[in-house]
C-alpha cells in the first residue's frame, strides 16, 4: 500500500473535490482519493506507487494544478 500527498492549487468547493476525486480515481492502481479543499491537499492511496506525472495530469484534467509542497 502506498500513500502520497499532493498540494493542489485552485480548489475552492465541494464540486472541486468531486472533480479531482473522479479524475484521480481513474488512474490504474489507485484505491482511494481524499481531498481537503481548505488545505489544498489531495492524498492518493494505491496498491503500488503511482507516477506523480499521472496524478498531475489527472488533476489538470479536472481543471486544477499540482504545485510543489
Amino acid at each position: 500500500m502506498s500513500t502520497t500527498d499532493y498540494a493542489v492549487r485552485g480548489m475552492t468547493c465541494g464540486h472541486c473535490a468531486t472533480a479531482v476525486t473522479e479524475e484521480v480515481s481513474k488512474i490504474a492502481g489507485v484505491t482511494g482519493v481524499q481531498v481537503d479543499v481548505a488545505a489544498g491537499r489531495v492524498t492518493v492511496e494505491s496498491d503500488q506507487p503511482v507516477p506523480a506525472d499521472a496524478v498531475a495530469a489527472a488533476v489538470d484534467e479536472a481543471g486544477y494544478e499540482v504545485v510543489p509542497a
Side-chain angles (χ1 to χ4, degrees):
M1 174 70 89
S2 177
T3 302
T4 309
D5 194 46
Y6 298 89
V8 177
R9 181 178 16 225
M11 299 185 301
T12 59
C13 63
H15 171 73
C16 300
T18 299
V20 169
T21 299
E22 287 177 358
E23 291 299 328
V24 175
S25 293
K26 294 177 184 178
I27 300 170
V30 170
T31 58
V33 179
Q34 297 167 349
V35 177
D36 183 337
V37 172
R41 309 295 297 177
V42 174
T43 302
V44 179
E45 298 172 359
S46 57
D47 293 329
Q48 43 192 316
V50 173
D53 60 340
V55 175
V59 169
D60 183 65
E61 183 66 28
Y64 308 97
E65 179 183 11
V66 171
V67 294

